[in-house]
Amino acid sequence: VKDIFSILNVEQKRKLFAMQVLVILTAIAEVCSVAVIGPFMALAGNMEQITNNQYIYRLYILSQAHTPNQFLTIAGFIVLLFLLLSTLLSIVTIYKLSVFAARTGAEIGDSLYSSYLKKNYLFHSTINSSHLIKQIATEVSRVTDNILQPFVQINARIFAVIFISIAIFIYKPIISIIGITVFLLAYYVLF
């Protein structure tokens, strides 16, 4: 990671930071979209919550629904809207991350090409030109495709997992601890 940051210029580092902010927003949106499914399913399973739960009853009054089924339909559309917005934000984030990685790779390749052009004749007479072409064409794409892009993508998944784990821990701490333990154990065994 330190080597990657050393070859990025100031503008690229600033864009990488902006991408990380977008990743955090996407992780929060994913947590919210997961969090709205549970209450909706509980409401669909037990419509008496409309009259028994004061918060749901207030929402029922605010929605101006005429029947509990109509309220459930409105709630369903709101849940679908949350899921749609979260998915769209995730698509935009993945697109932006991919474009950032591709553009950064192209800029690194241009910089490397420019550096080779500025070398003296002795440098070019001692090094095979196919080696230089390989460095520009193959190695730059390996850095961006196999290091930079996965690094940024894994940050997105790490933030999502952290936010979802915190939300589950707040809701059900024991289930969260058991889930994290099983996940870490499985990861350790696979690794």
Side-chain angles (χ1 to χ4, degrees), residues 132-146:
L132 298 179
I133 292 169
K134 177 183 170 271
Q135 291 290 96
I136 295 170
T138 308
E139 297 302 324
V140 170
S141 68
R142 280 181 52 191
V143 167
T144 55
D145 296 344
N146 298 337

PDB file of all heavy atoms in Angstrom, residues 132-146:
ATOM      1  N   LEU A 132      10.875  -2.628 -21.967  1.00  0.00           N
ATOM      2  CA  LEU A 132      10.232  -1.341 -21.673  1.00  0.00           C
ATOM      3  C   LEU A 132       8.747  -1.385 -22.042  1.00  0.00           C
ATOM      4  O   LEU A 132       7.903  -0.873 -21.304  1.00  0.00           O
ATOM      5  CB  LEU A 132      10.937  -0.212 -22.428  1.00  0.00           C
ATOM      6  CG  LEU A 132      12.403   0.015 -22.073  1.00  0.00           C
ATOM      7  CD1 LEU A 132      12.982   1.148 -22.925  1.00  0.00           C
ATOM      8  CD2 LEU A 132      12.571   0.321 -20.601  1.00  0.00           C
ATOM      9  N   ILE A 133       8.446  -1.996 -23.177  1.00  0.00           N
ATOM     10  CA  ILE A 133       7.046  -2.117 -23.603  1.00  0.00           C
ATOM     11  C   ILE A 133       6.269  -2.958 -22.585  1.00  0.00           C
ATOM     12  O   ILE A 133       5.136  -2.638 -22.221  1.00  0.00           O
ATOM     13  CB  ILE A 133       6.958  -2.720 -25.025  1.00  0.00           C
ATOM     14  CG1 ILE A 133       7.532  -1.725 -26.037  1.00  0.00           C
ATOM     15  CG2 ILE A 133       5.526  -3.086 -25.387  1.00  0.00           C
ATOM     16  CD1 ILE A 133       7.735  -2.292 -27.417  1.00  0.00           C
ATOM     17  N   LYS A 134       6.895  -4.028 -22.112  1.00  0.00           N
ATOM     18  CA  LYS A 134       6.252  -4.888 -21.112  1.00  0.00           C
ATOM     19  C   LYS A 134       5.991  -4.091 -19.840  1.00  0.00           C
ATOM     20  O   LYS A 134       4.926  -4.215 -19.229  1.00  0.00           O
ATOM     21  CB  LYS A 134       7.137  -6.094 -20.813  1.00  0.00           C
ATOM     22  CG  LYS A 134       6.589  -7.004 -19.731  1.00  0.00           C
ATOM     23  CD  LYS A 134       7.578  -8.143 -19.443  1.00  0.00           C
ATOM     24  CE  LYS A 134       7.167  -8.911 -18.229  1.00  0.00           C
ATOM     25  NZ  LYS A 134       7.697  -8.388 -16.990  1.00  0.00           N
ATOM     26  N   GLN A 135       6.940  -3.278 -19.425  1.00  0.00           N
ATOM     27  CA  GLN A 135       6.773  -2.470 -18.217  1.00  0.00           C
ATOM     28  C   GLN A 135       5.563  -1.544 -18.360  1.00  0.00           C
ATOM     29  O   GLN A 135       4.769  -1.415 -17.432  1.00  0.00           O
ATOM     30  CB  GLN A 135       8.022  -1.625 -17.936  1.00  0.00           C
ATOM     31  CG  GLN A 135       9.228  -2.416 -17.528  1.00  0.00           C
ATOM     32  CD  GLN A 135       9.077  -3.014 -16.158  1.00  0.00           C
ATOM     33  OE1 GLN A 135       8.701  -4.166 -16.019  1.00  0.00           O
ATOM     34  NE2 GLN A 135       9.350  -2.243 -15.151  1.00  0.00           N
ATOM     35  N   ILE A 136       5.444  -0.900 -19.515  1.00  0.00           N
ATOM     36  CA  ILE A 136       4.355   0.062 -19.719  1.00  0.00           C
ATOM     37  C   ILE A 136       3.022  -0.645 -19.919  1.00  0.00           C
ATOM     38  O   ILE A 136       2.021  -0.311 -19.286  1.00  0.00           O
ATOM     39  CB  ILE A 136       4.659   0.983 -20.922  1.00  0.00           C
ATOM     40  CG1 ILE A 136       5.883   1.853 -20.618  1.00  0.00           C
ATOM     41  CG2 ILE A 136       3.457   1.860 -21.259  1.00  0.00           C
ATOM     42  CD1 ILE A 136       6.409   2.617 -21.810  1.00  0.00           C
ATOM     43  N   ALA A 137       2.998  -1.654 -20.773  1.00  0.00           N
ATOM     44  CA  ALA A 137       1.725  -2.298 -21.130  1.00  0.00           C
ATOM     45  C   ALA A 137       1.239  -3.294 -20.088  1.00  0.00           C
ATOM     46  O   ALA A 137       0.065  -3.299 -19.729  1.00  0.00           O
ATOM     47  CB  ALA A 137       1.874  -2.983 -22.484  1.00  0.00           C
ATOM     48  N   THR A 138       2.133  -4.130 -19.602  1.00  0.00           N
ATOM     49  CA  THR A 138       1.715  -5.227 -18.735  1.00  0.00           C
ATOM     50  C   THR A 138       1.783  -4.877 -17.257  1.00  0.00           C
ATOM     51  O   THR A 138       0.819  -5.079 -16.517  1.00  0.00           O
ATOM     52  CB  THR A 138       2.595  -6.473 -19.004  1.00  0.00           C
ATOM     53  OG1 THR A 138       2.587  -6.745 -20.399  1.00  0.00           O
ATOM     54  CG2 THR A 138       2.087  -7.670 -18.252  1.00  0.00           C
ATOM     55  N   GLU A 139       2.911  -4.353 -16.830  1.00  0.00           N
ATOM     56  CA  GLU A 139       3.103  -4.124 -15.396  1.00  0.00           C
ATOM     57  C   GLU A 139       2.177  -3.037 -14.850  1.00  0.00           C
ATOM     58  O   GLU A 139       1.677  -3.157 -13.734  1.00  0.00           O
ATOM     59  CB  GLU A 139       4.569  -3.771 -15.107  1.00  0.00           C
ATOM     60  CG  GLU A 139       5.552  -4.867 -15.452  1.00  0.00           C
ATOM     61  CD  GLU A 139       5.292  -6.173 -14.727  1.00  0.00           C
ATOM     62  OE1 GLU A 139       4.872  -6.141 -13.548  1.00  0.00           O
ATOM     63  OE2 GLU A 139       5.477  -7.235 -15.347  1.00  0.00           O
ATOM     64  N   VAL A 140       1.930  -1.997 -15.631  1.00  0.00           N
ATOM     65  CA  VAL A 140       1.029  -0.938 -15.165  1.00  0.00           C
ATOM     66  C   VAL A 140      -0.378  -1.489 -15.000  1.00  0.00           C
ATOM     67  O   VAL A 140      -1.047  -1.227 -13.993  1.00  0.00           O
ATOM     68  CB  VAL A 140       1.043   0.271 -16.138  1.00  0.00           C
ATOM     69  CG1 VAL A 140      -0.056   1.245 -15.802  1.00  0.00           C
ATOM     70  CG2 VAL A 140       2.392   0.966 -16.083  1.00  0.00           C
ATOM     71  N   SER A 141      -0.846  -2.290 -15.959  1.00  0.00           N
ATOM     72  CA  SER A 141      -2.193  -2.861 -15.825  1.00  0.00           C
ATOM     73  C   SER A 141      -2.254  -3.854 -14.675  1.00  0.00           C
ATOM     74  O   SER A 141      -3.281  -3.968 -14.003  1.00  0.00           O
ATOM     75  CB  SER A 141      -2.641  -3.507 -17.131  1.00  0.00           C
ATOM     76  OG  SER A 141      -1.870  -4.647 -17.412  1.00  0.00           O
ATOM     77  N   ARG A 142      -1.150  -4.559 -14.417  1.00  0.00           N
ATOM     78  CA  ARG A 142      -1.129  -5.469 -13.262  1.00  0.00           C
ATOM     79  C   ARG A 142      -1.251  -4.680 -11.959  1.00  0.00           C
ATOM     80  O   ARG A 142      -1.952  -5.111 -11.041  1.00  0.00           O
ATOM     81  CB  ARG A 142       0.161  -6.293 -13.255  1.00  0.00           C
ATOM     82  CG  ARG A 142       0.104  -7.463 -14.200  1.00  0.00           C
ATOM     83  CD  ARG A 142       1.341  -8.292 -14.190  1.00  0.00           C
ATOM     84  NE  ARG A 142       1.733  -8.698 -12.841  1.00  0.00           N
ATOM     85  CZ  ARG A 142       2.894  -9.245 -12.545  1.00  0.00           C
ATOM     86  NH1 ARG A 142       3.786  -9.444 -13.498  1.00  0.00           N
ATOM     87  NH2 ARG A 142       3.170  -9.605 -11.313  1.00  0.00           N
ATOM     88  N   VAL A 143      -0.591  -3.554 -11.891  1.00  0.00           N
ATOM     89  CA  VAL A 143      -0.670  -2.729 -10.673  1.00  0.00           C
ATOM     90  C   VAL A 143      -2.085  -2.212 -10.481  1.00  0.00           C
ATOM     91  O   VAL A 143      -2.644  -2.302  -9.381  1.00  0.00           O
ATOM     92  CB  VAL A 143       0.337  -1.560 -10.727  1.00  0.00           C
ATOM     93  CG1 VAL A 143       0.054  -0.542  -9.636  1.00  0.00           C
ATOM     94  CG2 VAL A 143       1.757  -2.079 -10.592  1.00  0.00           C
ATOM     95  N   THR A 144      -2.688  -1.692 -11.533  1.00  0.00           N
ATOM     96  CA  THR A 144      -4.032  -1.118 -11.376  1.00  0.00           C
ATOM     97  C   THR A 144      -5.102  -2.194 -11.234  1.00  0.00           C
ATOM     98  O   THR A 144      -5.982  -2.071 -10.391  1.00  0.00           O
ATOM     99  CB  THR A 144      -4.380  -0.191 -12.551  1.00  0.00           C
ATOM    100  OG1 THR A 144      -4.230  -0.900 -13.767  1.00  0.00           O
ATOM    101  CG2 THR A 144      -3.510   1.041 -12.559  1.00  0.00           C
ATOM    102  N   ASP A 145      -5.029  -3.258 -12.042  1.00  0.00           N
ATOM    103  CA  ASP A 145      -6.074  -4.288 -12.013  1.00  0.00           C
ATOM    104  C   ASP A 145      -5.944  -5.238 -10.820  1.00  0.00           C
ATOM    105  O   ASP A 145      -6.951  -5.720 -10.305  1.00  0.00           O
ATOM    106  CB  ASP A 145      -6.064  -5.103 -13.306  1.00  0.00           C
ATOM    107  CG  ASP A 145      -6.415  -4.266 -14.518  1.00  0.00           C
ATOM    108  OD1 ASP A 145      -6.957  -3.156 -14.340  1.00  0.00           O
ATOM    109  OD2 ASP A 145      -6.143  -4.712 -15.645  1.00  0.00           O
ATOM    110  N   ASN A 146      -4.709  -5.525 -10.409  1.00  0.00           N
ATOM    111  CA  ASN A 146      -4.495  -6.523  -9.362  1.00  0.00           C
ATOM    112  C   ASN A 146      -4.167  -5.938  -7.992  1.00  0.00           C
ATOM    113  O   ASN A 146      -4.141  -6.690  -7.018  1.00  0.00           O
ATOM    114  CB  ASN A 146      -3.381  -7.490  -9.768  1.00  0.00           C
ATOM    115  CG  ASN A 146      -3.718  -8.265 -11.016  1.00  0.00           C
ATOM    116  OD1 ASN A 146      -4.882  -8.421 -11.357  1.00  0.00           O
ATOM    117  ND2 ASN A 146      -2.712  -8.749 -11.717  1.00  0.00           N
TER     118      ASN A 146
END
